[in-house]
Amino acid sequence: MILTASIALNWILFLALFPIAFFWFRRAWRILFRRDFSEVALKGGMPPPNPERYAPYTLAINLIGGGVIVFVILGIVTGSMDFDTWTASAGVTIWMKFFLDFALGRHAHPIVPRRKKVDPTRPSAEQQ
């Protein structure tokens, strides 16, 4: 077997599945058992004001994503998944996890309209 760029990248993807599954299951563990909501619906590294509300969604995203990744790892090791299937499954799972986390974070942090700054040199309607 000759080591080409394609084979090297496939090995990198396969080996990266292990820490990905670990971190996703660890996030789910922290939410479910430790009741740690510090990584729920993040936007700019900050959780929302009420992370308990969004914790079940983050828990589901992490559990389903981690489960699919473990299923892909087992499929690769046992040889029951061909190359196209496991790369597609792993890629779609990783991207969907990122997109769903992003969407949940944006939903949990609504855009609040800013108040207009008051110009001290301009008289207000009450002063006129």
Side-chain angles (χ1 to χ4, degrees), residues 84-98:
D84 291 335
T85 305
W86 78 261
T87 54
S89 299
V92 168
T93 303
I94 292 167
W95 280 107
M96 288 305 296
K97 164 76 166 67
F98 292 154

Side-chain angles (χ1 to χ4, degrees), residues 6 19 46 49 55 57 66 70 89 91 95 98 116 118 124 128:
S6 176
M46 299 297 297
Y57 304 109
V70 167
S89 299
W95 280 107
F98 292 154
K116 293 183 180 179
V118 177
S124 64
Q128 291 179 0

Side-chain angles (χ1 to χ4, degrees), residues 10-109:
N10 292 328
W11 271 101
I12 290 170
L13 175 61
F14 172 66
L15 294 175
L17 293 178
F18 291 93
I20 288 172
F22 170 76
F23 283 110
W24 290 354
F25 279 133
R26 186 179 70 174
R27 283 183 77 186
W29 175 269
R30 287 179 179 177
I31 293 168
L32 187 61
F33 294 109
R34 292 191 180 173
R35 309 293 294 167
D36 179 12
F37 303 127
S38 62
E39 295 182 0
V40 172
L42 299 177
K43 180 179 178 185
M46 299 297 297
N50 53 350
E52 302 87 21
R53 178 178 175 194
Y54 302 100
Y57 304 109
T58 303
L59 175 67
I61 291 169
N62 284 293
L63 279 178
I64 292 169
V68 170
I69 293 296
V70 167
F71 179 74
V72 169
I73 290 171
L74 293 175
I76 295 168
V77 171
T78 60
S80 61
M81 282 190 174
D82 62 339
F83 173 75
D84 291 335
T85 305
W86 78 261
T87 54
S89 299
V92 168
T93 303
I94 292 167
W95 280 107
M96 288 305 296
K97 164 76 166 67
F98 292 154
F99 287 143
L100 291 173
D101 271 345
F102 180 81
L104 185 64
R106 295 313 174 264
H107 181 71
H109 296 271

